[in-house]
Amino acid sequence: MTMATDLSEAPLPIPPRARKATGGRPIQWLRANLFSSVPNTLITLILAFILVKAGISFVQWGVSNAIWWLPGNDTAACRALRGLGACWAVIPEKYRFILFGTYPFDQQWRPAAVTLIFIALFVISSRRKFWRPGLVLVWIAALAVIGLLMWGGVLGMPYVSQDRWGGLPVTLILATFGLAFGFPLGIVVALGRRSKLPAIRSLCVLYVELIRGVPLISLLFMASVMFPLFMPDGVNIDKLLRAQIAFILYAGAYLAEVVRGGLQAVPRGQYEAADALGLSYWKKHGLVILPQAIRHVIPPLVNTFLAFFKDTSLVLIIGIFDLLTTAKTAIIDPAWQSFSVEVYVFVGVIYFAFCFAMSRYSKRLEAQDTPR
């Protein structure tokens, strides 16, 4: 008995794989993952050489030889570099136009406040402790404030038409409203494609296949050019609103297929268990099926969100000044035409910041919802 007790209490040896999974010294990790064989060692060395070479070149161009400020905006010093260094002075000179477009200069604090409100809404909505019915009221109030700030016309703020809107606020408006309305539409369409009623199922299939079968540019052209032809005389819908409707329809079709894949991944037993509890159709899907389906498709959902956020740049086709369009327009000035790379790097950092934040949040959300 004593020997058996001692053996049962003795710690079991940890296998090599378990020891590797629980962590180890950096040198052991490098040997196991980067230098485990001759081919892996060669590939690691080649990639390391390329990355170091590219990093050194970028530091020399973007930091060591760069010009950060020009007195009097005289670009002669930047031109003398002849591409050997970056001319970051173009950013402080053009950043207000890049971020806010042709919005009146003395009123650009309003789109700046709108951008901060959007970011605050995103941060609040990403915290589970705020996932309550009151969050909907917060969004409604915030969107009302956003509209008040952008249009103005009250509280001493001059009215600014949507033709003067541009830059980052327009990108955030298109992406936020497109996803906010497109996601519920996608859920309804996904449920409709699985409906037992032929008329509803056929209508949803027709919608999805029609929207997914044409490029987004064609939808924007139809919203901008053809849609007004079907409106009564004297009725004119703003171009930004027409583009927003096109984005909502586009997002709804693609998100519907993602959600439908999640619905198919839910085990059949979950449907039967919900039916056994006597739940209605909407309660069954709202409380049992959809939470599991969405949990299954978090990665493709986020991938669709990221692609959709970047696709907002296509509104250039119909003359709407989003962030990328204002960046292109900012370097039309002959004095700064040679420094478009710096402007695109600046805009790329903004896009990367939003996309990386969404990606990290989805990864954290997926880890929290994964059973352990």
Side-chain angles (χ1 to χ4, degrees):
M1 292 294 294
T2 303
M3 183 178 297
T5 303
D6 294 340
L7 290 176
S8 62
E9 293 179 355
L12 296 176
I14 301 177
R17 288 175 178 256
R19 192 183 303 120
K20 177 183 175 182
T22 57
R25 297 179 179 178
I27 295 179
Q28 294 177 348
W29 184 89
L30 291 174
R31 288 178 178 175
N33 295 275
L34 301 180
F35 301 98
S36 58
S37 63
V38 175
N40 285 349
T41 301
L42 292 176
I43 294 174
T44 300
L45 294 176
I46 292 173
L47 291 178
F49 174 77
I50 294 174
L51 291 175
V52 170
K53 185 67 174 178
I56 293 174
S57 299
F58 181 80
V59 169
Q60 290 176 346
W61 175 80
V63 179
S64 302
N65 300 330
I67 295 179
W68 300 88
W69 187 261
L70 289 175
N73 294 326
D74 184 8
T75 60
C78 286
R79 297 181 185 278
L81 292 175
R82 297 182 180 180
L84 298 179
C87 183
W88 298 116
V90 67
I91 304 303
E93 174 66 20
K94 298 292 185 180
Y95 80 96
R96 297 187 69 166
F97 184 86
I98 295 172
L99 294 178
F100 309 124
T102 59
Y103 207 89
F105 188 84
D106 59 335
Q107 298 293 318
Q108 287 184 354
W109 64 269
R110 290 156 56 181
V114 166
T115 302
L116 295 178
I117 292 174
F118 269 122
I119 295 175
L121 284 175
F122 299 153
V123 173
I124 292 174
S125 301
S126 65
R127 299 292 186 265
R128 286 197 172 190
K129 62 181 179 180
F130 296 114
W131 291 2
R132 301 175 182 176
L135 183 60
V136 177
L137 300 178
V138 172
W139 269 88
I140 293 175
L143 294 179
V145 173
I146 288 172
L148 184 66
L149 288 173
M150 292 300 293
W151 271 299
V154 294
L155 301 177
M157 295 183 296
Y159 174 78
V160 179
S161 65
Q162 291 182 351
D163 296 336
R164 302 291 302 275
W165 298 8
L168 184 57
V170 169
T171 296
L172 293 177
I173 289 172
L174 290 172
T176 302
F177 282 95
L179 293 175
F181 290 96
F183 188 57
L185 176 62
I187 292 176
V188 173
V189 173
L191 294 175
R193 290 202 64 172
R194 295 170 59 86
S195 175
K196 297 180 180 179
L197 300 177
I200 295 178
R201 184 173 62 250
S202 300
L203 184 62
C204 292
V205 170
L206 178 63
Y207 162 70
V208 171
E209 298 302 329
L210 179 63
I211 298 297
R212 295 177 66 205
V214 296
L216 176 58
I217 293 178
S218 63
L219 294 178
L220 293 174
F221 267 123
M222 291 185 64
S224 177
V225 179
M226 297 186 62
F227 183 76
L229 301 178
F230 296 94
M231 301 300 295
D233 293 338
V235 178
N236 184 24
I237 300 178
D238 188 80
K239 181 167 55 176
L240 181 61
L241 179 58
R242 298 199 300 266
Q244 186 70 80
I245 295 174
F247 271 105
I248 292 172
L249 296 176
Y250 176 79
Y254 278 84
L255 291 173
E257 288 299 280
V258 176
V259 174
R260 188 168 70 91
L263 293 173
Q264 292 177 343
V266 177
R268 186 63 187 174
Q270 298 295 316
Y271 292 87
E272 297 173 353
D275 293 333
L277 292 174
L279 298 178
S280 64
Y281 177 84
W282 294 109
K283 285 187 176 181
K284 177 177 69 175
H285 284 83
L287 299 176
V288 179
I289 306 303
L290 279 175
Q292 299 182 63
I294 294 175
R295 187 181 300 116
H296 287 312
V297 295
I298 288 178
L301 273 178
V302 175
N303 185 55
T304 305
F305 290 168
L306 296 178
F308 181 78
F309 179 76
K310 292 179 288 187
D311 283 343
T312 55
S313 60
L314 294 177
V315 293
L316 162 67
I317 302 298
I318 58 175
I320 296 178
F321 279 53
D322 71 306
L323 178 61
L324 188 60
T325 307
T326 53
K328 293 179 180 178
T329 309
I331 53 178
I332 291 179
D333 187 351
W336 300 100
Q337 280 184 350
S338 302
F339 314 108
S340 59
V341 175
E342 290 83 347
V343 173
Y344 288 130
V345 169
F346 175 69
V347 174
V349 169
I350 296 176
Y351 275 106
F352 175 79
F354 282 96
C355 293
F356 182 74
M358 284 191 284
S359 178
R360 294 298 298 178
Y361 172 70
S362 69
K363 186 176 181 180
R364 187 180 64 184
L365 185 64
E366 186 178 5
Q368 292 175 353
D369 290 336
T370 300
R372 299 180 181 179

